[in-house]
Amino acid sequence: MRSPDPDYEEKRQYAAERLQEARTDSDVTLLYLDECGYEKIPSLDRGYEAKGEKQPTAAPSQSSNQQMRVAA
């Protein structure tokens, strides 16, 4: 696994320590929260296909793009 976060390794170690603490101490409860983002309209990029072939395309949306966040 990799992350662009420069503090990822330190955070991973902290989370591992808290998990171990929760496993060994019945008074400790560990809750985990994660989030991700996605956009309603995907970005455009190049597509490649053999010459003479027609690549399927999606019609552009008439609505504005929105970035969504999901936390679980």
Side-chain angles (χ1 to χ4, degrees):
M1 178 177 276
R2 69 172 195 83
S3 172
D5 184 348
D7 299 324
Y8 173 76
E9 190 55 40
E10 182 180 339
K11 292 175 183 178
R12 189 199 62 75
Q13 182 62 36
Y14 179 81
E17 290 169 3
R18 300 295 71 77
L19 177 59
Q20 185 60 32
E21 182 181 7
R23 286 179 171 163
T24 58
D25 186 343
S26 62
D27 292 332
V28 175
T29 301
L30 180 68
L31 300 177
Y32 181 78
L33 175 69
D34 198 4
E35 66 175 331
C36 69
Y38 65 94
E39 294 188 19
K40 181 178 172 184
I41 302 172
S43 60
L44 298 176
D45 201 355
R46 295 177 294 279
Y48 298 94
E49 184 61 77
K51 187 174 180 178
E53 298 293 327
K54 180 150 175 67
Q55 192 172 20
T57 59
S61 174
Q62 299 303 313
S63 64
S64 62
N65 194 14
Q66 299 173 3
Q67 185 179 38
M68 315 291 186
R69 301 292 290 170
V70 176

